[in-house]
Amino acid sequence: MDTELQMTYGCIMQAVCVEDVFGDLKGDKEKVNRTAKKIYYRLSMVVHPDKNVDDKEMANEAFVRLSEFYERAQKKIQQGTYGQRIENKNDKGIGFVIKTRKQEYVISSTLAEGDLSVVYGGNCVGSDDFAGQIAVKIFGDVVDNRLAQNEIKVLELLQSEPSNQNKHLPVLLDKFKTTNGQLGTILRQIDGCDIYSIREKYKDGVDGKHMVWMLNRLLSVLGYVHSKGIIHGNIEPGHFMIRPKDHNGWLIDWCYAAVNPARSGDRFKVYNEDFSAPEVKEQKSPIPASDLYSVGKLMIYVLGGDVKTNTMPSTVEDKLQRFIKFFVRESPIQRAQDAWEMHAQLSELIIELWGPKKFLELKI
Ligand SMILES: Nc1ncnc2c1ncn2[C@@H]1O[C@H](COP(=O)(O)OP(=O)(O)OP(=O)(O)O)[C@@H](O)[C@H]1O
Ligand SMILES: [Mg+2]
């Protein structure tokens, strides 16, 4: 595992403007240019996809973003505006402004309205457009602040350690409290869509060949998260976002997660009739298998199956159906237990069913 790549990825994902990447550059234009170039070369050595064969996806994401930052930095240096925040056209917004010690943010749209919170779209004031898109989540009632606090705690915990699974987790940029005392989080906006919107587009579900890459991403992020003693506790279609063009996937909404439940006594915080395991209703202690149950249900939903009966379209290969049904067994001890183990088994199954992996784009 390359920690340098993971740390650099983390820094690049936290940056909202060129100055966050290249720092406070002093001197005349020539000197500033030379320093920026040096920093760019040093960072690109770390994140170049050719140098990171074990994690090309993470490297590629960081490299593309870094190159974009460098191009913009060069432009600002030439124009003599390096060090000044850009006034971008969205800075005025249409709604309200949030000011924290770190940044100023403008809300410009509503992305989603949940039961307890609203997720708004916006941008960081003075950011480079492409890097400053944010999703702001605000809980409607102060009594739910504990859920926001829980999401902040879990994301900070997961982000504090470099990992190549961070590419499947939301990036927490900032937090704030409204004048009414409601807690809010500022997340980097994910340029993907959740599984509800995928099913709106694919009314009969997606092909098994697409379902498997989504499952692969979910199992790998859960393998990591479970190894940290964290159970997501609320995996459902609104909480998995995908980006079809490069098959990335993000597991979001960590409000309901349980941290080290066996030791801390942390419990399930919500029950979803279609996607939660039976032990959630029974208020048993959260275990990794509870998340895997929800993953199985989610995959049945992705395929256009019936989550109540666990039936899947007849076009889905028998072996794949059997594999998924192992996730949704009612008894927790009889079902899939270990995300990494299932991840490995899935890779073998894919090859057995369709031969060597090939990239297949899902059109949306
Ligand atoms: N970082 C993000 N980038 C883009 N869209 C997001 C992001 N986070 C959330 N969304 C969108 O908002 C929806 C709701 O997000 P989330 O589940 O985190 O909040 P919520 O459902 O409103 O909260 P709760 O479930 O606690 O009531 C997601 O399904 C997704 O469509
Ligand atoms: Mg939610």
Side-chain angles (χ1 to χ4, degrees), residues 30-182:
E30 290 304 303
K31 186 161 180 246
V32 167
N33 220 345
R34 266 200 317 276
T35 318
K37 193 173 189 172
K38 254 192 223 158
I39 296 172
Y40 170 70
Y41 279 125
R42 187 165 45 77
L43 294 176
S44 56
M45 290 291 280
V46 178
V47 300
H48 201 288
D50 292 348
K51 295 202 181 316
N52 291 283
V53 281
D54 291 341
D55 203 341
K56 266 188 185 295
E57 285 169 18
M58 182 174 233
N60 198 47
E61 176 105 35
F63 185 68
V64 168
R65 213 166 252 273
L66 173 67
S67 306
E68 181 84 46
F69 273 126
Y70 181 52
E71 213 172 279
R72 286 164 189 250
Q74 280 176 306
K75 251 188 223 150
K76 283 182 95 176
I77 295 167
Q78 282 320 313
Q79 289 162 354
T81 57
Y82 187 90
Q84 295 167 22
R85 288 302 187 98
I86 292 170
E87 170 142 356
N88 45 27
K89 54 184 181 305
N90 296 328
D91 281 358
K92 304 286 177 288
I94 51 163
F96 51 99
V97 172
I98 297 161
K99 223 176 188 164
T100 70
R101 242 176 289 162
K102 198 170 154 191
Q103 267 279 352
E104 204 174 310
Y105 307 91
V106 188
I107 305 286
S108 50
S109 63
T110 303
L111 295 178
E113 282 184 56
D115 293 337
L116 307 174
S117 68
V118 180
V119 180
Y120 298 97
N123 69 294
C124 306
V125 173
S127 63
D128 284 86
D129 268 349
F130 84 103
Q133 304 281 92
I134 51 165
V136 181
K137 181 164 162 179
I138 310 179
F139 280 84
D141 200 319
V142 287
V143 298
D144 297 315
N145 276 357
R146 65 195 165 87
L147 291 174
Q149 258 153 0
N150 195 48
E151 181 162 46
I152 293 167
K153 176 178 86 177
V154 171
L155 289 177
E156 283 180 344
L157 201 77
L158 290 170
Q159 261 170 221
S160 67
E161 226 173 288
S163 155
N164 53 4
Q165 298 307 320
N166 283 346
K167 62 180 182 284
H168 304 308
L169 293 168
V171 177
L172 177 69
L173 295 171
D174 211 345
K175 53 196 170 193
F176 62 94
K177 208 175 219 174
T178 66
T179 46
N180 299 330
Q182 301 142 282

